[in-house]
Amino acid sequence: MSEEVKNVHREPHPFVSTAHLGHFVGRTVAFVGKVGAVEDQLLHMKTNAGEDVKILRYKNEVGLCEGQTVEIRGIVNKDRTISYGECTPYDNEFDMQTYEHMLEYFHGMCKELSVK
């Protein structure tokens, strides 16, 4: 794993949804979703609407399980996948629908406050 991916916690990492991934290629982001499936070095994340985002280079060292909500921090690739850096598990009470509405607002009306 590259030193760049290992140090994602040190860089600003705006929270993004699938609609914003293309605007942050090569940059560190935070993506929140539900674990869809865990494969060998690949983590499938699902949004509230059921969109799939692939997290590359995940080795399941955190022990995530299907259906768990987590925040993944990593670097966005050109193909809109994310290279895994680190993650934070959320509790079962996390409201994905409200969170995704907040992201629409933040990246819309409040986009000038976002890290560029």
Side-chain angles (χ1 to χ4, degrees):
M1 185 178 301
S2 72
E3 195 66 29
E4 181 181 44
V5 173
K6 288 181 185 177
N7 293 320
V8 296
H9 65 282
R10 295 182 189 165
E11 299 178 26
H13 45 273
F15 286 80
V16 299
S17 69
T18 54
H20 310 114
L21 289 174
H23 301 290
F24 290 93
V25 172
R27 306 264 314 277
T28 301
V29 298
F31 179 82
V32 178
K34 288 192 182 274
V35 176
V38 179
E39 298 175 9
D40 186 40
Q41 295 203 8
L42 181 65
L43 179 64
H44 292 270
M45 300 289 293
K46 295 282 185 187
T47 65
N48 190 55
E51 295 176 89
D52 189 48
V53 174
K54 293 177 183 171
I55 311 300
L56 307 176
R57 300 185 192 134
Y58 177 71
K59 295 183 177 125
N60 204 18
E61 61 267 7
V62 182
L64 299 179
C65 56
E66 192 171 325
Q68 185 175 6
T69 302
V70 296
E71 171 191 326
I72 299 290
R73 286 173 304 285
I75 298 171
V76 179
N77 302 307
K78 290 179 184 177
D79 61 357
R80 297 171 52 100
T81 60
I82 299 173
S83 292
Y84 177 80
E86 56 189 17
C87 78
T88 302
Y90 287 11
D91 65 21
N92 291 334
E93 302 300 317
F94 186 78
D95 185 347
M96 283 287 294
Q97 184 174 12
T98 301
Y99 167 76
E100 289 178 4
H101 283 296
M102 182 274 308
L103 285 178
E104 288 175 28
Y105 177 75
F106 182 73
H107 287 280
M109 288 182 69
C110 300
K111 68 182 173 189
E112 296 305 316
L113 300 174
S114 180
V115 175
K116 303 240 187 281

